[in-house]
Amino acid sequence: MSGLAVFAELPLTVKANPRAKRVLVKLIPGRGLEVVTPKRFDPAQVPDILEEKRSWIERTRDRMRAAGIDLSGAPPQLPASIDYRAIERTVRVDYLDRPGRVRVTENAARLLVAGPALDREGLLDGLCRHTVKKAREALLPWLDRASRRTGFQYAALRVRRQRTRWGSCSSRGTISLNAKLLFLPPVLVDHLLLHELCHTRHMNHSPAYWACVAEYEPDYRRLEAEVSRGSRFVPAWFL
Ligand SMILES: [Zn+2]
């Protein structure tokens, strides 16, 4: 069981997926190690697999920790304030212990979360829903401005909280944006919107696509790299 002992500080989940072709080892923010196993896999082999992947796991774990990503699986704390960096707005969060459904209201620079104090998951869920709504309100006019500036039209916008992707664009021109964008610096949001809008012309990452991006943002390589490390701006309760 050496493999398990080595990573004792990381919670481990083993999931069987009959469609998996081979064993997959992943590190997931807020959840730790996840091993996905294919059909007819003997779970007793998991420690050996982790041992084989040890250097990758250690490297990835250290990189994620350095980026401020929590892997402990400990439930996130309720925030006392939230920095919605994209819209340059920091709000203080107050909690009101009250029975019944969780309600979140915002006025001036204060968020009031009312609900049962013991229902931490419910309170966090309320904050998350409020944040997604706020992201939608901020990103729609923002995307419209970017669309007018570039002349690239999109058909519809969807804003959701997604685990990994920052955004995507369908062949029908529907742009999907991750609500986590609300925590990124504005310059990265600008870039991500440009990235998706250029996909309305080129549905790939071909040289022609990047030439299109470069026309509006010559410094796109640096910004792409920054976006890929953007999770460090996202608070643990919204990951
Ligand atoms: Zn893309």
Side-chain angles (χ1 to χ4, degrees):
M1 297 295 280
S2 58
L4 290 180
V6 166
F7 302 111
E9 88 277 22
L10 294 173
L12 171 69
T13 318
V14 180
K15 275 192 187 168
N17 180 351
R19 282 171 307 154
K21 295 267 187 290
R22 59 193 172 83
V23 180
L24 283 173
V25 178
K26 306 186 219 175
L27 276 167
I28 299 179
R31 301 223 310 250
L33 263 176
E34 188 176 288
V35 180
V36 181
T37 61
K39 225 196 258 178
R40 285 190 288 276
F41 177 85
D42 177 6
Q45 290 179 48
V46 167
D48 289 340
I49 301 238
L50 292 180
E51 196 56 53
E52 256 171 55
K53 297 247 178 190
R54 174 203 285 265
S55 70
W56 177 85
I57 294 170
E58 286 177 345
R59 251 184 299 125
T60 311
R61 177 199 60 193
D62 295 345
R63 192 165 45 80
M64 289 172 91
R65 281 193 181 149
I69 296 169
D70 174 62
L71 291 165
S72 71
Q77 297 294 313
L78 290 169
S81 73
I82 305 176
D83 187 4
Y84 292 121
R85 207 171 275 100
I87 52 172
E88 291 165 341
R89 189 173 164 85
T90 302
V91 292
R92 199 179 99 185
V93 188
D94 294 318
Y95 299 89
L96 176 66
D97 187 10
R98 197 181 69 178
R101 214 165 67 85
V102 174
R103 291 194 150 233
V104 182
T105 46
E106 180 172 351
N107 54 62
R110 279 183 60 177
L111 253 179
L112 180 68
V113 185
L118 287 175
D119 182 14
R120 184 152 71 157
E121 287 213 355
L123 299 174
L124 283 171
D125 192 56
L127 275 178
C128 288
R129 275 183 286 117
H130 181 79
T131 299
V132 171
K133 197 176 100 203
K134 225 173 147 58
R136 200 172 286 126
E137 284 165 11
L139 291 169
L140 184 59
W142 203 331
L143 183 61
D144 280 338
R145 283 194 302 274
S147 169
R148 280 196 300 273
R149 181 172 71 89
T150 55
F152 298 146
Q153 313 255 327
Y154 68 98
L157 169 67
R158 284 205 310 197
V159 178
R160 286 173 302 162
R161 179 178 167 210
Q162 289 171 287
R163 188 172 308 147
T164 49
R165 302 177 91 179
W166 290 108
S168 61
C169 178
S170 78
S171 55
R172 293 177 169 221
T174 295
I175 290 182
S176 297
L177 298 174
N178 196 330
K180 289 176 183 170
L181 283 174
L182 206 49
F183 296 101
L184 299 192
V187 61
L188 297 188
V189 178
D190 278 335
H191 180 66
L192 210 106
L193 299 186
L194 174 66
H195 181 120
E196 299 311 335
L197 283 169
C198 287
H199 277 313
T200 61
R201 292 289 161 92
H202 305 273
M203 286 304 299
N204 50 39
H205 293 129
S206 61
Y209 166 79
W210 290 117
C212 172
V213 174
E215 206 175 299
Y216 298 92
E217 180 49 75
D219 200 18
Y220 73 90
R221 280 200 183 84
R222 183 183 66 81
L223 292 166
E224 286 286 323
E226 284 280 312
V227 168
S228 71
R229 297 187 304 120
S231 315
R232 67 188 197 280
F233 294 110
V234 183
W237 60 267
F238 200 70
L239 276 174

